[in-house]
Amino acid sequence: MKEYKCIYAILDSDVKSSDHKPEIMGLDSSPVYFVGFRDISAAVSNVNQDKMKVSSDIAFSYEKIIEDLWMKYNLLPMRFGSVMKNDTNVIEIMKKNYSDFIDNLKKVENKSEFGLEILCDLNKTDFKTDNTFNLNNYKKLKQLDKNSVYRNYLIDKLKQHKSEDSFMKKIDDIIEEIHSPLKKLSYLSNVTKMVTTKIILNATYLVKNDMKDEFIQTTQQIKREKKDLKFLLTGPWPPYNFVNLSIK
Amino acid sequence: MDDVITKSKNVTLLEVLDRILNKGVVISGDLVISVADIDLVYLGLKLLLSSVETMEKYRGAPIYSPYQEPS
């Protein structure tokens, strides 16, 4: 049966496979070994096919392999499905992209990733938004005939717009109150607001390892202050979201 | 300290899938790369969809708005 090489991560050390005991088992029950180029290495294992299958068990296994390596080495996780024909190809990848690998490895060194989602049931939460509407602020509208359908329609639309605007400002304020202290504790962060009607914030933070406890404690403190919101904090993760590399 | 960290397996599976399938170093070009063959795509998607569906009920439908900041 033909064998392929699954790459799990690029490590910032020249790791010798013989030095690495106990072995970490890769997918397809083959041990992970290391292919070196200069002062970096690729963690790889033999797999039976070039088309990687994904299921929840395989996903967890793949992630665990990267986590096990991450406990010992600074690394760049490879996207699932990174399969090559042979070790020579793996070395070629490291040779071609050496400086990008080094730059990214330096960026994530001694740091961990945290994911934070803030969920909110908008129907149940009272945001106390400002919904007051004063017609006196709209002189031309006020001059229209009181029985005009256009007048009533425009008033309804203006009220709706004002309400939505007020609501989004409130959401922005809440996000700022959560994100701002966490951003100060992190080295880098990515933020997406209003991912769905219930996820008002989806953020990832790259945190220095000596700041991890403070980051978690601060999140916990914010959670206590925002009782209407649900906090989903995950981590520490290897730096998946802070490796921005598409290589050839 | 731990009570703020989620333990839910469904949430963690989504977090893991999001990371290993969408993030990390990606190889492009003419190398041998693929994610799942036909049968396993079906199996994989079934698993993925059930998880996503469960979570979407809880989390709400995706929306597309001008309030999204570039990452």
Side-chain angles (χ1 to χ4, degrees):
Chain A
M1 184 183 290
K2 195 170 181 182
E3 280 191 333
Y4 297 89
K5 310 293 176 182
C6 172
I7 316 177
Y8 301 95
I10 302 295
L11 320 178
D12 73 345
S13 316
D14 181 14
V15 184
K16 300 280 179 279
S17 300
S18 55
D19 296 341
H20 200 275
K21 301 289 178 187
E23 289 174 327
I24 292 173
M25 290 309 289
L27 301 178
D28 288 351
S29 302
S30 290
V32 173
Y33 67 96
F34 301 90
V35 179
F37 173 75
R38 294 173 65 175
D39 53 348
I40 62 174
S41 307
V44 299
S45 77
N46 294 327
V47 288
N48 298 326
Q49 51 204 338
D50 59 344
K51 294 181 179 178
M52 301 282 289
K53 45 190 170 180
V54 65
S55 67
S56 55
D57 286 345
I58 292 171
F60 280 125
S61 299
Y62 186 85
E63 211 285 320
K64 187 176 183 310
I65 294 163
I66 292 177
E67 293 249 0
D68 287 347
L69 290 165
W70 186 56
M71 293 292 113
K72 295 182 177 175
Y73 309 104
N74 179 32
L75 59 75
L76 306 176
M78 294 292 295
R79 190 171 297 189
F80 182 86
S82 301
V83 175
M84 312 215 60
K85 287 176 183 168
N86 51 47
D87 288 350
T88 309
N89 289 155
V90 178
I91 292 168
E92 195 63 25
I93 282 277
M94 288 189 285
K95 198 173 171 181
K96 276 186 183 172
N97 301 280
Y98 179 77
S99 62
D100 284 338
F101 284 151
I102 291 290
D103 289 347
N104 275 267
L105 282 162
K106 279 181 186 163
K107 182 174 75 177
V108 301
E109 190 173 19
N110 295 320
K111 298 176 190 82
S112 303
E113 176 180 314
F114 285 89
L116 178 65
E117 283 189 6
I118 305 295
L119 284 76
C120 172
D121 189 339
L122 300 177
N123 296 323
K124 291 180 183 171
T125 306
D126 180 13
F127 280 130
K128 295 185 179 66
T129 51
D130 177 15
N131 292 322
T132 53
F133 179 79
N134 187 352
L135 192 57
N136 291 324
N137 294 335
Y138 305 91
K139 286 179 185 171
K140 284 188 178 173
L141 188 59
K142 201 180 172 186
Q143 287 165 4
L144 289 173
D145 181 350
K146 280 187 179 178
N147 295 322
S148 159
V149 287
Y150 301 111
R151 181 181 187 273
N152 294 334
Y153 173 80
L154 286 171
I155 288 173
D156 283 348
K157 281 290 167 193
L158 277 168
K159 280 181 180 173
Q160 188 185 342
H161 174 74
K162 194 170 183 318
S163 172
E164 284 172 0
D165 197 41
S166 172
F167 170 74
M168 285 314 300
K169 277 182 184 144
K170 187 71 186 171
I171 292 280
D172 280 346
D173 289 347
I174 292 169
I175 289 171
E176 191 56 28
E177 285 165 19
I178 296 167
H179 175 60
S180 186
L182 296 178
K183 188 181 177 184
K184 282 180 192 158
L185 295 173
S186 58
Y187 181 76
L188 289 170
S189 60
N190 298 321
V191 174
T192 308
K193 296 176 189 175
M194 293 302 289
V195 183
T196 72
T197 49
K198 289 184 180 172
I199 303 177
I200 63 169
L201 173 70
N202 183 13
T204 49
Y205 298 91
L206 187 65
V207 180
K208 287 182 180 172
N209 286 340
D210 58 5
M211 300 289 282
K212 280 192 298 189
D213 288 350
E214 195 177 343
F215 183 87
I216 294 169
Q217 282 163 3
T218 303
T219 309
Q220 195 173 33
Q221 178 61 35
I222 299 168
K223 184 188 172 191
R224 277 196 288 266
E225 292 163 7
K226 307 275 181 198
K227 295 193 190 304
D228 287 344
L229 304 176
K230 186 167 178 60
F231 283 61
L232 295 176
L233 179 68
T234 59
W237 296 91
Y240 290 94
N241 278 278
F242 296 93
V243 176
N244 186 19
L245 262 183
S246 180
I247 60 173
K248 289 186 176 177
Chain B
M1 183 181 292
D2 280 350
D3 72 322
V4 76
I5 304 268
T6 182
K7 301 282 188 204
S8 163
K9 196 175 176 185
N10 276 344
V11 173
T12 311
L13 174 60
L14 282 184
E15 299 286 337
V16 166
L17 288 172
D18 179 47
R19 281 173 171 81
I20 70 165
L21 298 180
N22 295 327
K23 313 293 178 188
V25 180
V26 58
I27 303 175
S28 57
D30 55 355
L31 303 171
V32 182
I33 310 158
S34 61
V35 181
D37 58 34
I38 301 294
D39 289 337
L40 291 160
V41 164
Y42 172 71
L43 178 63
L45 283 180
K46 205 170 151 191
L47 281 165
L48 276 168
L49 287 174
S50 70
S51 302
V52 171
E53 197 174 44
T54 307
M55 284 312 296
E56 286 307 324
K57 274 184 195 167
Y58 182 52
R59 295 177 173 192
I63 57 169
Y64 302 95
S65 76
Y67 303 103
Q68 216 168 45
E69 278 189 349
S71 58

